[in-house]
Amino acid sequence: MTAPFRAPCVFCEIIAGREPADVWHEDERLIVFRNRLRWLPVMLLIVPRQHKTQEQFWREDMEEAAALAVEIGKKHTPGGFRLLSNFGHDALQTVAHGHLHLLGGTPMGVYV
């Protein structure tokens, strides 16, 4: 079953400057911006500038994305943070553009 992804890609629109975003970091390959969801004080998305599937992102960019996530997480959520990545419909991936969630800023409790 294919996930109900929106077209055009909202992350590509943010990267192109056609959609607003609260950008925390930008370089040639990655951009980090605040998630529009606000369940936690810090909800960031680490996204490759080039449109890639989740699998491509993990295989091609994860070393750089992970290092950036740790750097940002330690700086902005010194009490700890969680990294999360959803793969596919059953995991509730809602944007086809590969990305990594950085969550923190408050105790998050146990996994469900």
Side-chain angles (χ1 to χ4, degrees), residues 38-111:
R38 295 287 198 261
W39 302 328
L40 299 169
V42 176
M43 292 183 67
L44 301 177
L45 297 163
I46 301 168
V47 178
R49 288 187 168 278
Q50 180 183 353
H51 187 97
K52 298 180 179 190
T53 66
Q54 199 71 310
E55 183 176 347
Q56 289 171 316
F57 175 51
W58 272 78
R59 291 183 185 274
E60 298 169 8
D61 302 298
M62 195 46 61
E63 185 175 350
E64 186 177 349
L68 182 58
V70 169
E71 177 184 325
I72 291 172
K74 287 171 65 176
K75 180 176 181 182
H76 295 284
T77 60
F81 55 93
R82 184 174 293 166
L83 299 175
L84 172 72
S85 202
N86 304 316
F87 280 75
H89 181 263
D90 287 352
L92 301 179
Q93 181 183 0
T94 58
V95 178
H97 195 125
H99 59 286
L100 177 65
H101 296 260
L102 190 156
L103 310 171
T106 190
M108 289 179 268
V110 298
Y111 295 104

